[in-house]
Amino acid sequence: MLFKGKKTLPSLCLYVKDDCIYHDYLKDLPLKERVILEKSMEFFDDPEPCHIHRSAVRTRLTAEIQKECLLRGSCAAPGPLLLSYADFPVIDRFVLTD
C-alpha cells in the first residue's frame, strides 16, 4: 500500500473525584505558564519564547506526560509530571486513550 494509515492522537481525561475536568487531546492540555517559561530557558535559553519555541516546549512536555501516563497505566493516580505541568489545581486520576 502506498499510503500509511492516519496516526491517531491520544486523548486525555482528567478527573477530580468522579467529575471529568478535562477531556480533549493530550496535545491541547493546558500547561502552566511558568513551566513553559522555565522549560524554554532550559531547552533554548530563551526567557521570552516566540510561538515556535512555545510550540516546541509544549510538544516535548506533552510527550513526557504521555510517556509517564503509559508507564502508570490507565485509570491511575497522576504522576509528578502531569501534576506539575498541567494547569489544574487538583487531579485525582487520569485516563489516556489512543
Side-chain angles (χ1 to χ4, degrees), residues 12-15 68-70 72-79 82 91-96:
L12 183 66
C13 295
L14 302 177
Y15 294 89
E68 177 184 70
C69 289
L70 290 172
R72 296 182 77 79
S74 197
C75 292
L82 180 57
I91 303 168
D92 291 335
R93 68 184 174 93
F94 71 90
V95 176
L96 182 68

Side-chain angles (χ1 to χ4, degrees), residues 76-88:
L81 295 180
L82 180 57
L83 290 173
S84 63
Y85 294 172
D87 196 11
F88 294 97

